[in-house]
Amino acid sequence: MVRKTLFCIIALMLMFGASFTVAQDSELSLRALAERDNFYVGAAVYTTHLNDPIHVETLAREFNMLTPEQQAKHCELEARQGQFDFRGFDRLVAFAEEHNMAIHGHALVWHSCTPQWVENGDYTRDEAIGLLRDSIMTIVGRYKGRIPIWDVVNEGITDSGAALRDTPWRRLIGDDYIELAFQFAHEADPDALLFYNDYGTEGINPKSDAVYELVSDFVARGIPIHGVGLQSHFTIGGFDANQIARNVERLGELGLQVQFTEVDIRHSGEATDNILQRQAGDYYRLMDVCLANDACTAFITWGVTDKYTWLRGANLGFYNNPSVQPLLFDDNYQPKPAYFAALDSLARKVGETPVLSDDELTAMIGGTAQTVEIPPQIGRAH
Ligand code: 9MR
């Protein structure tokens, strides 16, 4: 039997159109499988992406949740105090409604996208509380009953986990700006699920312990909080799935939901076959952790196509790779090994015929996928 890499197999099938058939088959889209399990698969989207017909088609076919990547942030919506511009956000909401997708609102309070008038504002505590309330009531209130989930506070804890981050609203109001933001969001839409969202908090570590303490305290004191977002910006091989499972478990035991809110899995250099296979193994493990616990209700990738990933333009100091391919679909919207891995995890969860053979899955998870047999299921017309 001829042995080929999984990447070659998929490339061959793409050449003959077979795997496109798989992705086109509504029975086998991420979305269709997720909906059989009351689960969400989401993607971050810019309003401008809606001008790209292939993007629109892929998004609506594969995802049942959408996170505005930029257009729902406070600095975008209220650049000048009291003057709101909802045009971009409205377009995303209309698109989501037209395609029966849920919106994961992101983010009401974030230090990196707080309007200048707040950053530079010279307000008393009471004035600042009034301004925070006005902004949240206007934004959340506008979409009352239409946006089921909001990231209320994003990245409010320092990387060491030792303290709350020094942010504009905290400087004006004090440590309780976080709980006030949750209370105002709840007042604006009592049915919306309110999340605290952060990075580096996926596994068990001092920072995720700090998040756990913050949200435990909120739960104990009746502050309206319903979930924790784990951003999940990873490097290949850079997470311990067992630890993430334990973290999801302890948050779930508080009665909170968990969502993997900004998943991407980066690498250095060009994306070789081996890199794409290891990446697929990571996507499988991560999706599996989420699906294994009912508290985990969504798996959201930070973009649809590698073409538009924020990581290509980012110069993070520790990371700069303009050719990174961190998502499920390549630059031409073709599904990558990572896509089939995520699809397979979902298929197994809902009792659908697996997309990958057991042998191939084992090889992919073990990082030895170069030597697996051609998986008969991939590319088979359904
Ligand atoms: O991907 C987003 C990028 O396009 C924006 O320029 C940037 C600044 O608003 O925000 C990026 O998204 C961030 C998200 O909102 C919060 N977690 C980290 C994400 C990547 O920086």
Side-chain angles (χ1 to χ4, degrees), residues 103-259:
I103 292 255
H104 183 118
H106 170 89
L108 297 171
V109 174
W110 182 31
H111 64 281
S112 281
C113 197
T114 299
Q116 287 294 312
W117 58 267
V118 181
E119 290 228 23
N120 305 326
D122 181 21
Y123 307 109
T124 65
R125 170 179 153 87
D126 283 351
E127 284 168 347
I129 290 173
L131 290 166
L132 179 65
R133 182 173 180 278
D134 287 348
S135 299
I136 292 179
M137 290 297 283
T138 304
I139 297 167
V140 177
R142 177 181 181 87
Y143 302 103
K144 185 173 187 285
R146 297 165 67 195
I147 296 194
I149 296 165
W150 275 103
D151 289 337
V152 177
V153 174
N154 188 39
E155 303 174 5
I157 291 175
T158 56
D159 288 352
S160 71
L164 293 184
R165 189 188 290 274
D166 179 27
T167 68
W169 286 116
R170 180 167 176 247
R171 284 196 288 277
L172 291 166
I173 295 176
D175 287 358
D176 58 347
Y177 85 97
I178 298 184
E179 64 194 74
L180 287 168
F182 276 86
Q183 281 162 344
F184 297 148
H186 186 64
E187 187 183 345
D189 187 349
D191 293 329
L193 299 177
L194 307 180
F195 275 56
Y196 175 82
N197 191 54
D198 216 326
Y199 63 86
T201 51
E202 296 83 9
I204 306 282
N205 57 48
K207 189 174 179 185
S208 72
D209 288 348
V211 171
Y212 180 76
E213 277 170 32
L214 179 90
V215 301
S216 302
D217 173 56
F218 281 13
V219 170
R221 290 193 292 119
I223 305 294
I225 183 166
H226 310 100
V228 172
L230 306 177
Q231 290 187 9
S232 308
H233 294 289
F234 290 120
T235 301
I236 289 176
F239 63 87
D240 176 339
N242 292 327
Q243 273 197 29
I244 300 177
R246 275 169 49 213
N247 196 29
V248 172
E249 196 176 332
R250 69 175 172 172
L251 292 167
E253 283 166 1
L254 293 174
L256 297 174
Q257 289 191 22
V258 176
Q259 300 194 345

Side-chain angles (χ1 to χ4, degrees), residues 276-339:
L276 291 176
Q277 289 152 18
R278 283 164 42 221
Q279 180 186 61
D282 276 0
Y283 265 100
Y284 185 91
R285 268 185 285 272
L286 206 54
M287 179 66 91
D288 229 33
V289 166
C290 188
L291 293 174
N293 191 321
D294 286 347
C296 190
T297 52
F299 186 98
I300 304 161
T301 54
W302 206 238
V304 173
T305 159
D306 290 334
K307 182 164 68 163
Y308 295 141
T309 173
W310 72 286
L311 285 165
R312 288 205 180 164
N315 191 343
L316 303 176
F318 67 93
Y319 188 78
N320 179 8
N321 182 6
S323 51
V324 65
Q325 297 182 31
L327 295 167
L328 298 178
F329 292 88
D330 72 13
D331 285 39
N332 300 312
Y333 294 90
Q334 296 301 334
K336 295 161 60 186
Y339 168 85

Side-chain angles (χ1 to χ4, degrees), residues 7 65 73 80 86 105 164 166 216 222 270 278 313 320 342 351:
F7 181 81
M65 176 174 275
K73 292 170 183 170
R80 299 175 67 179
F86 288 110
L164 293 184
D166 179 27
S216 302
E270 296 297 318
R278 283 164 42 221
N320 179 8

Side-chain angles (χ1 to χ4, degrees), residues 36-78:
R36 283 163 55 180
D37 203 32
N38 293 320
F39 186 71
Y40 289 108
V41 276
V45 183
Y46 267 70
T47 307
T48 48
H49 299 164
L50 300 183
N51 300 331
D52 181 344
I54 313 176
H55 194 285
V56 163
E57 192 273 324
T58 310
L59 179 64
R61 184 186 73 226
E62 298 290 344
F63 299 94
N64 59 351
M65 176 174 275
L66 177 163
T67 303
E69 186 167 347
Q70 186 64 17
Q71 271 75 31
K73 292 170 183 170
H74 191 193
C75 67
E76 291 283 332
L77 296 176
E78 194 186 6

